[in-house]
Amino acid sequence: MDKDGTSAMENKPSLNFLEQIIENDIKNGVNEGRVYTRFPPEPNGFLHIGHAKSICLNFGLAQKYQGKTNLRFDDTNPTKESTEYVNAIRQDVQWLGFQWEEPIWYASDYFDQLYEFAVYLIKKGKAYVCHMTAEEISKGRGTPQTPGVESPWRNRGVEENLLEFERMRTGEYKEGERVLRAKIDMASPNMWMRDPVMYRIMHAHHHRTENKWSIYPMYDWAHGQSDYIEGITHSICTLEFIPHRQLYDWFLDNLDVKGIRPKQIEFARLNLTYTIMSKRKLLQLVEQKFVNGWDDPRMPTISGLRRRGYTPASIRVFADKVGVAKRENLIDVSLLEFCVREDLNKNASRVMTVLDPVKLVIDNYPENLSEMLPAILNPEDPDSEKRMVPFSREIYIEREDFMENPPKKFFRLAPGTEVRLKYAFIIRCESVVKDSEGNITEIHCVYFPDTKSGMQTTRKVKGTLHWVSIEHALETEVRLYDRLFTVPEPENGAEGTDFRDYINPESLKVVKGYSEPHVQTSAPGQNYQFERLGYFCVDKGSSPDKL
RNA sequence: UGACCGAUGGUGUAACGGUAGCACUACAGUUUUUGGAGCUGUCUGUCCAGGUUCGAAUCCUGGUCGGUCAACCA
């Protein structure tokens, strides 16, 4: 027994490090034991599978500890952001199955408040207006090994700073002429503490505040304060923000905040083999038309995965399985693929489709007869609905399901052998017809009427084939998606990365096939697990030529 | 050459001083009214060197290796 009175032998589910931090905070009554998280995307692109991990983390943690989660758009850089992205992101979060606390927040909601905070810091002598150029500031910052030098404007008076800051706001200066800086420590070993920029001048149109502002807060100045204003307790972000944490805390300390005090916690972002996860590069793929938009089914975006046929549940399970820790990771994309397969195998409807058809004639089946045979929509689901499949004398089977000279372990159709047609009868191959070049054009079989699916029979077969009645077949275009990239990832950096060297030409194939008529009545976006093909999504919601 | 973060099989992740477990991958077998389905099994792991301890993946010291940081991006 430990101090809590619980047995050490008990099989407690293990907690990840975030859960441990939170449980610790709850135990110690930090922020009254409340858990309030937020998901704070910048609306400058579509969300991808990496964001999905963050979404599942933030919303999942709040759910687990009876807390709440805000959706906040970090829209502090008007030149890169748009309402189009805002809408796409909202849709993706909802589709994943999460509901944020209303209303949706925007960092731009706090521009006035942030301005007041900045004035407060100026009055405390903790911030100043600097006239140096971006280049001068960067140079003055020094290097990680050597201290920076102080700006000549660093020690000017409060009144002058106030006046200058006001002029920045009213738009008197051109972009780059002035900047508001926090007055911290030019010799700090942490580069982000060497008088970081809080505001820069941008004469840009903002998607929400329009032309009201000519100064915009930097991420560091906006983020922690936004967290504070919203009452966020645990501000979860990725590892590259670790050096920013000191600054995050400095701002909060110097604003003398009271009440809920947010805490920044970092975790390792998701990396996937064969998958580009950088928004900048995804934007490049879109802009340079390597793909047809952010929601192209070959993209690792949430909307791309959705169109590809991924289910929200499969992505949530994936996010859970990859775990969360502080070390850099590279998850094998096959884990993601495993998660969809597992979900779809359990839940997706089945339908028979033949992609590379060869005609098969059942010689002893009546010529003008056809019958409807009952089939299960999903054999993995005991409550599965049934569908009726038409059967007739002439059918298509997959060309690869027949071999004239089969090797030993070939259990499908060959001259003289018997197989079952799924949901139908056992047949035996009697002969084949070939064209002048020796290609098989017809396979002739006999069937055994007393072997209809569900009947008792003593005949044993080693294989079962899928098939489609020619007369009833529906011509379908089947889209097969493979991974977009065949190598792990194009070299980092390199503005001019030529994706052509990496793109898998087989990443999208449109194949003509024949399906049973059931497909016709199905809903747009319906997932099917095609027998022997894995799954694909019948995406009737968009026109095929869009791809 | 500074500061910070990290290191457990091929890939991830657990074990919180007491049997190194789980999942994915790979491979093998088995099975089947189609499998990229099911079932069974196998392979591979605590970065190194010291120390503390009855006992170390875990604690300490020192190394090594990897990552991050010098946008008026987020």
Side-chain angles (χ1 to χ4, degrees), chain A residues 145-163:
Chain A
Q145 292 83 6
T146 59
V149 294
E150 297 188 350
S151 162
W153 314 97
R154 193 173 201 263
N155 295 310
R156 63 155 110 200
V158 169
E159 289 311 315
E160 199 183 338
N161 274 320
L162 253 14
L163 185 65

Side-chain angles (χ1 to χ4, degrees), chain A residues 163-298:
Chain A
L163 185 65
E164 284 287 336
F165 188 43
E166 170 71 11
R167 283 181 170 166
M168 282 172 65
R169 184 180 67 79
T170 53
E172 282 185 42
Y173 298 118
K174 294 205 205 74
E175 294 189 6
E177 284 185 344
R178 297 286 189 282
V179 99
L180 184 73
R181 291 228 255 169
K183 193 184 200 173
I184 309 181
D185 177 8
M186 290 307 289
S188 170
N190 181 348
M191 298 298 289
W192 289 100
M193 298 299 278
R194 323 246 263 224
D195 289 11
V197 171
M198 295 168 63
Y199 277 99
R200 77 284 213 188
I201 295 168
M202 291 176 103
H203 297 293
H205 179 268
H206 186 279
H207 72 116
R208 292 185 75 244
T209 61
E210 305 196 324
N211 298 316
K212 177 177 175 184
W213 296 89
S214 39
I215 55 172
Y216 290 91
M218 299 288 292
Y219 163 86
D220 290 288
W221 173 237
H223 204 92
Q225 282 52 255
S226 301
D227 286 339
Y228 168 68
I229 293 167
E230 291 176 20
I232 301 303
T233 56
H234 301 267
S235 181
I236 300 165
C237 63
T238 46
L239 252 29
E240 62 269 29
F241 290 99
I242 287 178
H244 297 244
R245 187 173 63 227
Q246 200 183 349
L247 181 55
Y248 183 102
D249 289 332
W250 187 90
F251 281 136
L252 257 15
D253 286 342
N254 285 280
L255 288 171
D256 303 317
V257 301
K258 295 176 180 58
I260 300 287
R261 166 73 184 233
K263 166 158 70 177
Q264 175 181 310
I265 308 164
E266 311 85 10
F267 73 97
R269 67 164 63 237
L270 173 73
N271 295 294
L272 270 183
T273 56
Y274 302 105
T275 308
I276 285 189
M277 213 71 95
S278 129
K279 256 198 211 175
R280 210 200 78 234
K281 285 188 211 160
L282 292 177
L283 179 64
Q284 241 178 291
L285 283 170
V286 173
E287 282 181 340
Q288 297 174 19
K289 304 235 187 289
F290 289 108
V291 294
N292 302 298
W294 287 93
D295 65 344
D296 187 301
R298 295 165 294 177

